[in-house]
Amino acid sequence: MTQEQSTPSGPDLTRGVAPGELVDGKLLGHVGDQDVLLVRTSEGLFAIDAHCSHYHGPLAEGLVVGNTVRCPWHHACFDLRTGEATRAPALSALACWLVEERDGQIFVREKREPQKVASPVRSDAPEKIVIVGGGAAGFAAAEMLRRREFRGSIVMLSKEAAPPVDRPNLSKDYLAGSAPEDWLPLRPDDFYREADIELRLSADVSSIDPKARQLVTSGGIVRYDRLLLATGAEPVHLAIPGARQLPVRTLRSLTDCRAIIEDAKGAHRALVVGASFIGLEVAASLRTRGIDVHVVAPEAIPMERILGADMGRFVRALHEEHGVVFHLGDTVAAIDGRRATLESGESLTIDFAVVGVGVKPRLALAQAAGLAVDRGVVVDAHLETSAPGIYAAGDIARWPDPHSGENIRVEHWVVAERQGQTAARNMLGDREVFDAVPFFWSQHYDVPINYVGHAEHWDDIAIDGDIRARDCLVQYKRNGRVLAAASIYRDLASLQAELAME
Ligand SMILES: Cc1cc2nc3c(=O)[nH]c(=O)nc-3n(C[C@H](O)[C@H](O)[C@H](O)COP(=O)(O)OP(=O)(O)OC[C@H]3O[C@@H](n4cnc5c(N)ncnc54)[C@H](O)[C@@H]3O)c2cc1C
Ligand code: FES
């Protein structure tokens, strides 16, 4: 994650550089002790903070598209003219500097004043916007509303006890013990007060009345002019004896994660049920804590359904190199205290178990309110549900994806945030179509896997590079068309694949 800069990179840009020093229109240098990226586009020269405001990704290794630069790590996008983070997962703007070209040299001058990025809120903007959900989509929507200078009331209702956190970290660095808890909040507590966002925690919304434009929470009735449903998904529990008893955990919230960390203290062996992203990220984090990990899953090859057999075999081998023991083609029949019995008859003594066998979207509220639901809350291209004025975003939303031509629902952090941002703008009266190419990442030890696009079925997989050497771009195709691409340490190619799909 965040790395402290010790020595600034490249030339001192205040002393001037020759135009020829820019390679592919970019040059990484510094101003004082800060790394600065100098970029030439068809509109001119720009200088911007060289590190992404998400996890500090190196923008010099990213892709310049028009007047923007995209981060190589998780595809955030920044406007080079203003520094604005125009696409999640980055939410904070970057600093920009003035640039001057004189006597055949390029000089980076003083820092520019932060630019106003908001376009004015329309006069018919709603007075009160309520957001149900304190996760990726809900938070990104609230932040965007204020970024757009919406001055009306924002109420954010979240069932969770903690303010919005960086959920992907809960199975990665934080669970592994390598990230402190203060990295988790998406914003410090005082952000909500300063931005005048009324964040109500441990607030359970029990029903919505679309006609009366109000909803019922544990604290009473809340009226709204526009409503965003961003209730996310919840872990599926095992339907076996002992599945709901301790020490059997699922992982969605910070509370869940803290409980697993407590279980891990002094534990010798953990059972992980499920060999998909959450299960295997948890396995990696627990191995980092020195705990023996046994993974039980019914499939023959982990992640084959999403990444194909070759990537799946690589992921398995990677975990085995780190000491994970797999029990594939098997399931857990019962857990009785510290004894887990597998369907095959094998029995394991464990200290605790983490179940990662998938999630289901939380649709109950939408269903009871009479909204159209089809394995997700059905939304149109603007993310509006079948009830006018009610929008949905994130893990619950099934939207018309212009790239695949299908109505899809995904469970990706970046998609949830970007949908929250689009829904926010549309609640203010914009008519923005949600057309972002889906993107997710996953991290296993030191190996990041990036995935862009959406391929539920494919008839061909093209591998460029070498998966086992951790240097590859794997393309999933149907009828010759690339639907999605997974990559390991081919960040630029992943960005280019995204651009091609756009
Ligand atoms: C451990 C973990 C690791 C992950 N890692 C990655 C990753 O590496 N990359 C990736 O792309 N994706 C990852 N994901 C998936 C990603 O976090 C989700 O896709 C994303 O959080 C979805 O955002 P959301 O806003 O739809 O839902 P959430 O973030 O789940 O937020 C839903 C919110 O709604 C609230 N809520 C629900 N019902 C009610 C109610 N009735 N009343 C009030 N509040 C309610 C919940 O309490 C919660 O605050 C991970 C998920 C988990 C759990
Ligand atoms: S570090 Fe840039 S998008 Fe994550």
Side-chain angles (χ1 to χ4, degrees):
M1 270 193 63
T2 314
Q3 296 148 20
E4 289 307 320
Q5 287 301 117
S6 42
T7 41
S9 308
D12 180 347
L13 299 174
T14 62
R15 304 181 79 158
V17 291
E21 290 183 57
L22 275 73
V23 178
D24 293 331
K26 288 185 290 189
L27 177 67
L28 177 62
H30 66 272
V31 173
D33 57 5
Q34 221 170 330
D35 286 352
V36 171
L37 180 65
L38 184 61
V39 181
R40 188 192 287 281
T41 74
S42 59
E43 275 193 30
L45 282 158
F46 302 95
I48 191 166
D49 187 340
H51 294 282
C52 176
S53 59
H54 178 229
Y55 286 0
H56 224 61
L59 295 182
E61 293 165 29
L63 186 67
V64 173
V65 181
N67 284 323
T68 67
V69 60
R70 298 185 185 187
C71 177
W73 286 0
H74 315 111
H75 295 202
C77 182
F78 297 90
D79 190 320
L80 290 165
R81 297 162 302 187
T82 60
E84 187 192 3
T86 53
R87 290 182 183 189
L91 298 168
S92 301
L94 293 178
C96 293
W97 284 258
L98 291 169
V99 187
E100 186 188 16
E101 195 163 14
R102 185 168 45 85
D103 303 330
Q105 290 280 96
I106 301 168
F107 299 88
V108 173
R109 302 297 191 196
E110 66 273 17
K111 230 181 218 177
R112 289 166 66 156
E113 286 299 312
Q115 307 277 300
K116 260 211 166 341
V117 292
S119 37
V121 174
R122 292 156 51 120
S123 54
D124 59 352
E127 282 174 19
K128 182 170 185 178
I129 295 180
V130 174
I131 298 168
V132 184
F139 177 83
E143 194 274 342
M144 181 53 72
L145 288 171
R146 286 298 183 235
R147 211 195 289 182
R148 284 289 301 267
E149 300 199 339
F150 169 62
R151 296 195 198 286
S153 152
I154 303 175
V155 179
M156 200 167 158
L157 304 158
S158 171
K159 230 179 354 195
E160 285 175 272
V165 293
D166 184 15
R167 212 177 294 290
N169 215 321
L170 300 181
S171 50
K172 304 180 184 68
D173 293 346
Y174 178 63
L175 183 60
S178 43
E181 190 158 312
D182 58 13
W183 283 11
L184 290 180
L186 292 180
R187 284 284 190 272
D189 286 353
D190 51 11
F191 164 80
Y192 301 92
R193 198 181 51 251
E194 283 165 15
D196 195 17
I197 295 168
E198 189 184 334
L199 173 61
R200 295 195 205 164
L201 297 175
S202 306
D204 193 352
V205 177
S206 54
S207 66
I208 303 164
D209 181 344
K211 281 212 181 78
R213 297 211 165 197
Q214 62 185 32
L215 44 80
V216 178
T217 75
S218 32
I221 287 176
V222 180
R223 196 192 59 74
Y224 64 82
D225 296 316
R226 298 282 184 281
L227 177 65
L228 176 64
L229 284 179
T231 48
E234 62 197 349
V236 171
H237 292 273
L238 289 179
I240 57 160
R244 295 280 189 149
Q245 287 164 25
L246 297 181
V248 182
R249 308 277 183 198
T250 54
L251 176 55
R252 186 76 191 182
S253 65
L254 176 57
T255 308
D256 298 336
C257 190
R258 285 182 182 141
I260 296 170
I261 291 170
E262 274 309 304
D263 291 338
K265 286 182 185 156
H268 296 291
R269 183 186 279 178
L271 169 68
V272 171
V273 186
S276 199
F277 292 101
I278 302 278
L280 290 186
E281 288 187 352
V282 167
S285 295
L286 295 177
R287 286 299 301 136
T288 306
R289 285 181 180 267
I291 293 169
D292 285 351
V293 177
H294 287 246
V295 175
V296 177
E299 59 267 35
I301 302 173
M303 300 186 187
E304 182 180 9
R305 194 176 55 80
I306 300 158
L307 297 177
D310 291 311
M311 278 289 254
R313 275 190 283 267
F314 163 74
V315 170
R316 175 186 178 163
L318 173 67
H319 281 271
E320 283 176 338
E321 271 166 37
H322 286 83
V324 170
V325 179
F326 282 94
H327 304 260
L328 296 172
D330 210 345
T331 53
V332 182
I335 298 175
D336 181 10
R338 295 188 55 201
R339 179 150 303 277
T341 308
L342 309 191
E343 211 57 67
S344 60
E346 198 174 341
S347 148
L348 297 168
T349 303
I350 57 167
D351 294 299
F352 66 101
V354 182
V355 176
V357 294
V359 296
K360 54 177 193 254
R362 292 189 182 107
L363 305 176
L365 269 181
Q367 232 152 2
L371 308 190
V373 167
D374 168 22
R375 297 160 294 144
V377 178
V378 176
V379 293
D380 64 15
H382 307 109
L383 306 181
E384 194 167 13
T385 68
S386 58
I390 303 183
Y391 292 73
D395 284 4
I396 59 165
R398 183 171 290 276
W399 84 97
D401 171 40
H403 309 287
S404 59
E406 291 163 13
N407 291 336
I408 65 170
R409 190 185 70 76
V410 302
E411 291 147 9
H412 307 346
W413 180 257
V414 169
V415 172
E417 288 189 319
R418 291 180 184 175
Q419 288 189 342
Q421 295 177 325
T422 295
R425 290 187 283 258
N426 289 344
M427 288 191 290
L428 294 180
D430 288 7
R431 295 290 288 163
E432 180 182 305
V433 168
F434 183 76
D435 60 1
V437 177
F439 170 83
F440 75 82
W441 81 97
S442 184
Q443 180 84 28
H444 304 257
Y445 313 96
D446 57 342
V447 178
I449 301 174
N450 282 3
Y451 182 100
V452 64
H454 183 78
E456 284 177 26
H457 310 284
W458 56 79
D459 54 31
D460 183 28
I461 294 184
I463 302 171
D464 182 22
D466 183 345
I467 297 177
R468 278 186 302 177
R470 301 164 189 203
D471 172 27
C472 61
L473 180 80
V474 180
Q475 292 181 314
Y476 306 85
K477 300 182 185 180
R478 196 166 59 218
N479 300 328
R481 185 167 157 246
V482 177
L483 301 177
S487 60
I488 300 174
Y489 290 120
R490 287 274 183 105
D491 293 336
L492 192 56
S494 173
L495 284 168
Q496 283 160 342
E498 176 184 63
L499 188 62
M501 286 181 222
E502 286 168 8

